[in-house]
Amino acid sequence: MLSFEVPAFEIAGVTVFRDHALPSQFYYAAPHPSVARSAGRAMFDLMAYSVELKHSVLSGTAIPDELGAGFLTLGSECVLSASQRSTLLGELASRTGQPQDQLSLAGIPYHAGSVRVIALDKISTPAEPTADPGSATPVRGRPTFVEQILGTGQPALLGDLRSIFSLSLSQEGVAFLKGLYEDRAAPVGVVYDLKFYGLRPAVEAVVHANLSRIFEHFGGSLSAGYAWAKAEIKAGIDHLVETSDIQIELTSQAVGEEAKQSKELALSLFRDRIVQEMFRPITQAAPTPPTGLLGGLGGATGSGSSSNTGVNLTLELKRSYEYKAVTYSFRERAPEERTHAPQSFLKVMLSPAEMAQHIHQISLDDPFFEVLDVLVTGPSREEMGALGIRQIAVKLRYGEGGANPPPDTAELIFRPDSTGDKTFAVKRRGRQSLAYSSAITYEFLPQSGTDGDSFRYELPERTRTGRSLLINPSADFGVLNVEIEAGRLPPDTQEVDVVLTYPAENSASPVAGFRAEQHVRLTPSDAAPPAPLRWQVRTQTVELQPYAAQATFVFKDGGNYTTPPRPQQDALLRIDSPFAATRQLLIKPVLASDQITQITVELDYHDEVGQYRRTRVVELVPPFASLTHTWPILDAARQTLRYRVTVHESGLLSEGEWEETDEPSLIVGSAAHRVGRVDVRLIGPPLAEVGLDALQVKVQLLPAGAHDPPADPQSVLLQGTDTGATLTLNLAPDQPLRYRYQTTAFKSDGSTKESVWKDMTASPLILSTRTL
């Protein structure tokens, strides 16, 4: 998956991101928009028509309000040229040290997007109804050039991000644009708003920020939409770091150059987050920020640079920022959504002779207007392959059924080997309306890893008036794409079985009766991480619901645990360990007889609340070494387990009763062995009040016989407000509790005082802080 790992490459004005798993995979951001081309011809035509004057013997000549008008049709795309691709690959090979022929370069997989059009005195806004141009009151004394913008508000998200639109022009607008294009100007611009997911790198740091200071620093309190360049925003954030309005805290033990790099990476991720949350791309000129707003920036961008073409962001005026302090944690590696806004004015680089071929001046009496000509653009080969589309059938109808003349119909077929642009042209034959209808049918191929509610979608017939028709699968049906990969798993995991269901809720999906389920298996690997597994769900409903994920962890000892199903919406599903802690148990054999041949220990750990159970049988044989067993647990506070010990001695079995313990160690062996406990208790004032920083107490078990070796001493350190501790001593059969102890007092002045060894037979061991 695309990674936001810093630094991202900036090569020839194009931003290139890495892949989080494959070192040879890179993704480039869409370059600045340009005029689209179809079959080598620029998708640009300025069509002007004139109205014939009507003469009457009785009333004379009738002069209409406008003597003519016209349309401008344009197509935009964000295409990486062959020379740009070659430059990017060469530079990536130079910077990464990898062979150029092994590098893979693909466009960013955008999942949502829109396009805004700037045309003289009109701006289009996606997802909002187009206003009736006749309802707008023009400024007194000023003509209206662009009456309406027609076209797509959402580009094709795969391939060249093509978008097409048409401008309805007044007679002044036709004359104005004709003169501008003949002077090689660029009066029409587009601003893309593209959204994509990427994996944020994990940084052991958190950033504390005062959003109210950031909001105020960039002029938010003045309620004015000042324009900022990204370089100015970066300099402003750096200034706020210097003034401690933004603070970076490392959560690791890194020092030196490693700590510096961690801080720089955290600050870079924070700047990207602020740009995404608090700023938006602009589509028209905004006021230049006053000099005072720059604070400590000084001449960060050069004198007067804030009014140059690099300015393309403005602060969102949200009052919720004015009194808000937040903390951003970058300690987890998680996917997040970001926005990319390539924008430019579309330059039509044509010679005067070529320009003349794209400017059409027609009289309404011309036979041209007796033909309805519609350009139908299908999805790219890559988009059809990614969605598993076998073919798209577009049925077009012009004219009403049963009317005279009868309707004209046609069917256009798009397949992966037959994409691009197709034309529907019919004669008007006296029809007054230019409206036509289209019905689109999608047919899909069966694909592994893809679940759909149908292999055929028939969209309802729609009436259209534009001279261009873009087939956009992203706007016609919903597609859920999920990547599944293994994250941090418990060390003894053998495999993880993941069950994915769509939709997550138990209720029926919008398409009655449709439910999708996919099973995937993840296997931990010490080698390079495998490629993520993919699951695709396709529905006739454009609005997608959350999906559910349930994981079953299978351990090497045969145990397993199944997590409850959880709703998910992320495009990248990382399966991480659900366990919060580990349970460790030391099994230590203590033998009272040399006739013992085997010790069997049965363990049963059961977390009823978490519905999690682990059982294990441990067999100890000569030379009877201690064993440590560790397993993950859901709740660190649940340490209690049941155990039963069976001793094999001289051909006989001695099976004990089931017992419970929450201790970290378990002593097993002969039934005659005992455990002695020494409870150390302090009485009197706290250690600090008697001038002590800490107190060490050593306890040593006295041997049962004269020839028995002494046991190793055990010790405990008490400090601060501690008032006691417990030590465990292993006793031989029939051995009484006899031990000796020694205290070492660490005084506040730095000196120490060690007592002599004293014998004891009782527990607890009570010590007065006044006598230490």
Side-chain angles (χ1 to χ4, degrees):
M1 186 176 184
L2 183 149
S3 173
F4 293 132
E5 180 181 355
V6 176
F9 298 108
E10 290 287 342
I11 304 174
V14 179
T15 302
V16 181
F17 295 95
R18 308 169 185 265
D19 188 271
H20 84 290
L22 300 177
S24 61
Q25 178 67 53
F26 297 89
Y27 304 89
Y28 65 88
H32 293 303
S34 59
V35 175
R37 289 187 169 270
S38 177
R41 183 181 185 277
M43 296 180 65
F44 159 80
D45 286 283
L46 178 60
M47 296 166 286
Y49 65 86
S50 61
V51 178
E52 294 293 327
L53 299 180
K54 302 297 182 180
H55 301 279
S56 171
V57 177
L58 299 177
S59 60
T61 303
I63 302 177
D65 294 335
E66 285 193 340
L67 297 176
F71 297 89
L72 173 66
T73 60
L74 270 176
S76 68
E77 60 185 10
C78 300
V79 176
L80 192 71
S81 65
S83 60
Q84 286 178 305
R85 175 178 285 273
S86 177
T87 300
L88 294 181
L89 289 173
E91 187 65 21
L92 287 173
S94 174
R95 296 190 186 186
T96 62
Q98 302 184 58
Q100 183 173 337
D101 58 351
Q102 296 183 10
L103 298 180
S104 179
L105 183 63
I108 289 178
Y110 299 106
H111 73 91
S114 61
V115 183
R116 284 175 284 182
V117 181
I118 317 166
L120 300 180
D121 54 352
K122 187 73 68 175
I123 299 175
S124 69
T125 303
E128 291 186 9
T130 304
D132 180 6
S135 65
T137 302
V139 178
R140 183 180 300 275
R142 183 196 301 173
T144 297
F145 296 104
V146 180
E147 296 182 338
Q148 194 172 11
I149 298 177
L150 308 172
T152 59
Q154 183 177 16
L157 295 178
L158 292 181
D160 56 11
L161 300 175
R162 178 174 292 187
S163 179
I164 55 178
F165 48 90
S166 175
L167 277 62
S168 176
L169 306 173
S170 65
Q171 64 181 11
E172 293 89 351
V174 171
F176 193 31
L177 282 180
K178 180 175 179 295
L180 289 174
Y181 279 120
E182 288 176 345
D183 287 342
R184 312 196 74 171
V188 179
V190 294
V191 177
Y192 283 74
D193 189 2
L194 306 172
K195 298 183 183 301
F196 63 102
Y197 286 108
L199 193 62
R200 186 188 70 205
V203 181
E204 293 296 326
V206 295
V207 177
H208 306 281
N210 189 334
L211 293 188
S212 61
R213 284 289 298 121
I214 299 176
F215 184 78
E216 182 180 66
H217 182 83
F218 291 101
S221 61
L222 301 180
S223 300
Y226 294 115
W228 299 93
K230 278 194 174 181
E232 293 174 336
I233 297 174
K234 177 181 181 299
I237 295 297
D238 293 341
H239 171 68
L240 293 174
V241 172
E242 295 175 1
T243 59
S244 299
D245 292 307
I246 298 173
Q247 298 179 352
I248 305 174
E249 175 188 357
L250 293 181
T251 57
S252 67
Q253 301 300 320
V255 296
E257 186 64 25
E258 181 183 356
K260 179 181 178 182
Q261 293 177 359
S262 295
K263 285 189 176 181
E264 291 176 350
L265 180 55
L267 183 57
S268 175
L269 294 173
F270 173 75
R271 280 196 296 262
D272 290 344
R273 176 73 66 86
I274 289 299
V275 169
Q276 296 289 321
E277 292 184 358
M278 299 185 66
F279 291 84
R280 59 179 174 83
I282 59 174
T283 58
Q284 58 185 350
T288 302
T291 305
L293 286 182
L294 295 179
L297 298 182
T301 59
S303 176
S305 65
S306 59
S307 61
N308 294 337
T309 57
V311 175
N312 59 354
L313 295 173
T314 186
L315 188 69
E316 288 192 277
L317 296 178
K318 292 185 178 179
R319 296 300 178 186
S320 59
Y321 293 143
E322 293 186 357
Y323 305 98
K324 187 175 183 181
V326 296
T327 297
Y328 294 94
S329 174
F330 299 103
R331 290 175 291 182
E332 294 292 335
R333 191 179 194 186
E336 66 178 25
E337 184 183 65
R338 289 192 181 178
T339 300
H340 177 47
Q343 53 190 277
S344 69
F345 284 94
L346 302 179
K347 296 182 178 180
V348 183
M349 306 299 292
L350 299 175
S351 66
E354 293 173 325
M355 180 64 68
Q357 298 176 6
H358 288 264
I359 298 179
H360 313 278
Q361 297 179 351
I362 308 102
S363 170
L364 286 182
D365 291 336
D366 193 282
F368 169 81
F369 286 97
E370 292 298 322
V371 176
L372 171 67
D373 189 354
V374 180
L375 178 67
V376 184
T377 301
S380 65
R381 179 195 301 266
E382 293 79 9
E383 187 173 9
M384 296 184 73
L387 299 176
I389 299 176
R390 187 180 74 85
Q391 77 169 26
I392 304 173
V394 183
K395 294 182 179 180
L396 299 156
R397 179 174 59 84
Y398 177 54
E400 297 297 330
N404 188 16
D408 293 300
T409 60
E411 185 176 28
L412 303 179
I413 301 297
F414 294 87
R415 295 192 178 98
D417 57 351
S418 177
T419 59
D421 301 323
K422 303 180 186 296
T423 302
F424 170 63
V426 293
K427 292 184 177 181
R428 289 184 62 181
R429 294 193 289 175
R431 299 183 181 97
Q432 296 299 316
S433 174
L434 289 175
Y436 63 94
S437 63
S438 65
I440 302 177
T441 300
Y442 292 90
E443 295 184 9
F444 301 93
L445 294 167
Q447 287 184 316
S448 175
T450 299
D451 296 310
D453 51 8
S454 176
F455 287 104
R456 180 185 178 91
Y457 293 160
E458 296 185 9
L459 304 184
E461 189 177 65
R462 300 176 184 174
T463 301
R464 306 177 186 272
T465 57
R467 297 298 183 91
S468 57
L469 173 60
L470 176 66
I471 301 174
N472 190 355
S474 301
D476 291 337
F477 54 86
V479 177
L480 170 68
N481 288 295
V482 182
E483 291 187 4
I484 308 100
E485 69 176 19
R488 299 184 301 274
L489 301 179
D492 60 339
T493 302
Q494 179 174 316
E495 63 189 23
V496 183
D497 292 326
V498 184
V499 178
L500 305 172
T501 55
Y502 177 88
E505 295 81 9
N506 294 326
S507 59
S509 64
V511 179
F514 172 66
R515 294 190 66 83
E517 184 171 295
Q518 183 74 12
H519 296 252
V520 297
R521 176 167 293 175
L522 303 175
T523 304
S525 175
D526 296 332
L533 302 176
R534 290 175 170 82
W535 182 46
Q536 184 181 88
V537 177
R538 184 184 63 248
T539 71
Q540 297 186 55
T541 305
V542 178
E543 295 296 331
L544 295 171
Q545 299 185 40
Y547 65 95
Q550 185 176 37
T552 299
F553 293 80
V554 180
F555 303 102
K556 295 178 182 179
D557 63 355
N560 63 80
Y561 171 67
T562 301
T563 65
R566 293 185 175 89
Q568 304 284 342
Q569 288 183 315
D570 295 334
L572 175 63
L573 176 62
R574 289 173 55 87
I575 304 299
D576 289 313
S577 172
F579 302 101
T582 58
R583 175 66 163 98
Q584 181 171 304
L585 180 66
L586 171 64
I587 303 177
K588 181 178 181 180
V590 176
L591 307 181
S593 169
D594 57 1
Q595 300 299 315
I596 297 177
T597 58
Q598 179 178 321
I599 301 174
T600 302
V601 183
E602 300 171 76
L603 304 176
D604 181 13
Y605 176 83
H606 189 194
D607 183 351
E608 296 86 352
V609 176
Q611 298 182 1
Y612 173 52
R613 191 164 199 162
R614 296 292 295 272
T615 60
R616 184 174 297 181
V617 177
V618 180
E619 294 184 349
L620 303 176
V621 296
F624 293 107
S626 298
L627 296 177
T628 300
H629 289 274
T630 304
W631 63 93
I633 59 176
L634 298 171
D635 187 353
R638 295 182 177 274
Q639 298 283 329
T640 302
L641 60 86
R642 299 172 64 243
Y643 71 93
R644 181 170 63 179
V645 181
T646 301
V647 178
H648 304 249
E649 183 175 1
S650 301
L652 300 177
L653 294 180
S654 175
E655 184 178 81
E657 299 293 334
W658 283 99
E659 300 181 47
E660 289 188 351
T661 182
D662 58 359
E663 296 292 337
S665 61
L666 180 64
I667 299 176
V668 298
S670 172
H673 127 268
R674 299 185 303 119
V675 175
R677 299 166 62 95
V678 177
D679 295 322
V680 180
R681 295 291 180 265
L682 297 182
I683 61 174
L687 295 175
E689 292 187 11
V690 296
L692 297 182
D693 288 336
L695 176 68
Q696 183 185 47
V697 181
K698 294 181 180 179
V699 175
Q700 184 178 34
L701 182 67
L702 296 176
H707 301 288
D708 292 338
D712 293 332
Q714 299 186 44
S715 65
V716 63
L717 184 67
L718 304 175
Q719 54 187 350
T721 59
D722 294 341
T723 59
T726 300
L727 299 173
T728 302
L729 304 177
N730 298 325
L731 305 179
D734 301 325
Q735 180 183 2
L737 178 62
R738 295 180 60 253
Y739 64 94
R740 64 175 186 168
Y741 74 93
Q742 182 187 53
T743 63
T744 302
F746 298 88
K747 298 185 178 181
S748 302
D749 58 4
S751 62
T752 60
K753 177 182 178 182
E754 186 175 85
S755 70
V756 298
W757 287 96
K758 300 179 181 179
D759 293 348
M760 288 289 294
T761 59
S763 178
L765 175 58
I766 299 176
L767 303 174
S768 174
T769 58
R770 300 182 185 277
T771 61
L772 298 175

